[in-house]
Amino acid sequence: MPLRVLIGVGGGIAAYKAAHLVRYFKESSHEVHVIPTRSALKFVGAATFEALSGNPVSTDVFDNVDEVQHVRLGQEADLIVIAPATADLLARLATGRADDLLTSSCLVSTCPIVLAPAMHTEMWENAATQANVRTLRERGITVIEPAHGRLTGKDSGPGRLPEPDHIGALSLAVARNQHAEIFRQSLVGKRVVVTAGGTEEPIDPVRFLTNASSGRQGYALADIAAQRGADVTLISASTDVLHTPSGAEVVHVRTALELQAAVQEAAPHADLMVMAAAVADYRPESVAASKMKKDGDHDFSTLKMTENPDILAGLVQARREGEIPSETVIVGFAAETGDEKSSPLEHAKRKFLRKGCDLLMCNAVGEGKVFGQEDNAGWLLSARNTPGAEGREDPTVIDVPSGPKLDVAARILDEAETLLTPH
């Protein structure tokens, strides 16, 4: 359903990205009004926002007084997104200021408000800014974690504005899940490791075996975990071109063996392991040193394969043997298709017994389902109702209805959080 979106623009160099954010919401069929601060108009002119939004732009509470605009816009909005949210703007919002049209609209609004900060690292990490962020979050306002990267000049670090479509996707997730507090700070102090994407097993320097995984669900899981305050490591195999989750450390791997090594290195320090990568079951027994030619000595009619290690089962075994902490929560994934003997869910139940993980997310895949798609659905299998019952025969089945992968990620993490040991 189309939303009435109010986009606020703070006075920072990243204000130019707000124009792309306006276009993102317009192309998603939402109605958009833009309220820049006076400082923002020094970076991007009102005409740009008017042309992109199709609505007039105002900054002052005395504009269109006859329409009581400083009250009407905030009251009518279904979602308010402010990008960039400068340190000054965060401070004014935290103290309840209403000295321009944007802050007045926020103060009168009862809809979800999402702030995307952008500033230099020192300003973001300053105690005053962090106190303002905590205050805003305590009041139910969503403050997105800033991205890490190049800032103004030669500086680099946390404080960069995330890309506009990333902000837009996160903001719409907040709007869809406003009563569930999708970005509540429930993972602060927790270390979360997520694997994502499909492994590639080389045949020669130019050919490899892979699968249809896009990595979107794994990246969504890392995204939600980071926004909930976790210290996130994302072990990324081959993926579509995806935005790096704000604040996450990304470890790039290619093969199943490389992924296994990265998991083994990260697991001893993790509170939660989410194994969402699609790992190849087999790899070529040998890899040609040069490109295999059709007119050469290679036999292309057969390809001798060897089995890859079962990384998820190995992780559970390492926990049993004390190589990683016993309280580490392990979440597995099962991409299944039905056959003449069993449904995808029945296959997943047997896999849950074999693997011994705490949760297993099962997807029914194939024929345009899940891989590469924006939405996902399936079932979560859990043993949480029987303490210590790894591999029990009657897992609890939790339905995960179809929805955007960010929403599915939130549902998976909601369940995983019930198993985490408090610090």
Side-chain angles (χ1 to χ4, degrees):
M1 185 178 71
L3 302 176
R4 291 165 295 187
V5 182
L6 195 160
I7 296 180
V9 187
I13 188 64
Y16 76 93
K17 289 187 177 181
H20 298 280
L21 184 61
V22 174
R23 173 164 285 175
Y24 173 91
F25 282 110
K26 287 293 290 184
E27 290 181 347
S28 300
S29 301
H30 301 294
E31 180 186 347
V32 178
H33 286 266
V34 182
I35 304 180
T37 63
R38 296 181 188 89
S39 298
L41 292 179
K42 294 182 181 293
F43 294 94
V44 181
T48 297
F49 293 126
E50 289 177 340
L52 290 172
S53 69
N55 285 307
V57 166
S58 299
T59 62
D60 199 287
V61 293
F62 292 104
D63 293 338
N64 301 320
V65 173
D66 59 316
E67 298 179 8
V68 198
Q69 184 173 237
H70 70 289
V71 173
R72 179 179 58 82
L73 287 175
Q75 284 181 332
E76 293 180 352
D78 298 308
L79 173 66
I80 296 177
V81 183
I82 300 180
T86 61
D88 173 72
L89 191 47
L90 292 175
R92 289 196 287 134
L93 290 168
T95 54
R97 295 280 293 274
D99 50 0
D100 61 8
L101 186 57
L102 179 54
T103 52
S104 296
S105 297
C106 289
L107 204 59
V108 77
S109 177
T110 58
C111 73
I113 299 175
V114 179
L115 310 179
M119 62 197 75
H120 274 76
T121 300
E122 294 83 355
M123 297 177 75
W124 171 248
E125 294 178 344
N126 188 280
T129 301
Q130 289 302 304
N132 290 331
V133 169
R134 286 193 297 272
T135 296
L136 291 164
R137 284 172 170 164
E138 287 168 1
R139 294 174 183 167
I141 292 174
T142 299
V143 183
I144 293 174
E145 288 294 316
H148 289 231
R150 182 73 177 270
L151 305 171
T152 306
K154 297 180 180 179
D155 293 345
S156 184
R160 180 182 174 88
L161 187 72
E163 293 306 308
D165 56 342
H166 192 191
I167 297 171
L170 293 174
S171 299
L172 289 176
V174 172
R176 289 190 302 268
N177 298 273
Q178 55 183 292
H179 300 299
E181 296 182 346
I182 188 172
F183 292 161
R184 63 187 181 275
Q185 297 295 287
S186 52
L187 288 173
V188 173
K190 297 295 186 182
R191 292 158 296 183
V192 177
V193 177
V194 180
T195 68
T199 59
E200 297 177 348
E201 305 300 333
I203 299 171
D204 63 20
V206 298
R207 300 181 181 91
F208 55 85
L209 301 175
T210 190
N211 55 66
S213 175
S214 68
R216 292 178 184 273
Q217 187 62 76
Y219 270 63
L221 282 154
D223 226 342
I224 298 293
Q227 295 301 334
R228 290 186 178 183
D231 179 3
V232 177
T233 298
L234 174 61
I235 302 174
S236 178
S238 177
T239 68
D240 288 352
V241 179
L242 301 172
H243 295 301
T244 300
S246 297
E249 176 191 2
V250 182
V251 178
H252 292 284
V253 298
R254 186 185 184 195
T255 68
L257 294 179
E258 289 174 359
L259 191 144
Q260 181 190 41
V263 166
Q264 289 174 340
E265 181 176 350
H269 314 289
D271 298 292
L272 173 61
M273 299 289 302
V274 185
M275 307 296 287
V279 183
D281 293 321
Y282 292 87
R283 67 183 185 275
E285 190 173 83
S286 61
V287 179
S290 59
K291 181 181 177 181
M292 298 166 66
K293 307 288 188 182
K294 287 190 293 185
D295 56 355
D297 297 329
H298 300 286
D299 180 6
F300 282 88
S301 62
T302 60
L303 184 62
K304 201 167 185 179
M305 306 287 283
T306 188
E307 190 172 359
N308 272 324
D310 188 326
I311 300 174
L312 177 58
L315 190 61
V316 173
Q317 183 65 25
R319 185 175 63 178
R320 290 195 184 109
E321 295 176 356
E323 296 174 8
I324 65 175
S326 59
E327 62 270 19
T328 301
V329 175
I330 301 174
V331 181
F333 273 69
E336 299 288 353
T337 59
D339 55 33
E340 64 278 3
K341 295 181 179 179
S342 301
S343 68
L345 180 56
E346 289 168 334
H347 282 301
K349 286 181 178 179
R350 288 193 286 272
K351 186 171 187 176
F352 182 76
L353 296 178
R354 293 195 309 272
K355 302 293 186 178
C357 52
D358 303 295
L359 291 172
L360 185 76
M361 176 66 189
C362 171
N363 309 118
V365 299
E367 298 180 355
K369 298 177 183 177
V370 181
F371 287 141
Q373 304 301 308
E374 297 293 334
D375 290 357
N376 197 359
W379 305 271
L380 265 175
L381 308 185
S382 172
R384 67 183 173 91
N385 292 331
T386 303
E390 286 184 348
R392 69 178 195 165
E393 296 184 2
D394 56 339
T396 299
V397 179
I398 304 164
D399 185 59
V400 179
S402 180
K405 288 183 175 178
L406 281 170
D407 296 13
V408 171
R411 184 68 189 87
I412 294 168
L413 289 175
D414 287 346
E415 191 64 30
E417 286 178 27
T418 67
L419 306 175
L420 287 170
T421 302
H423 279 314

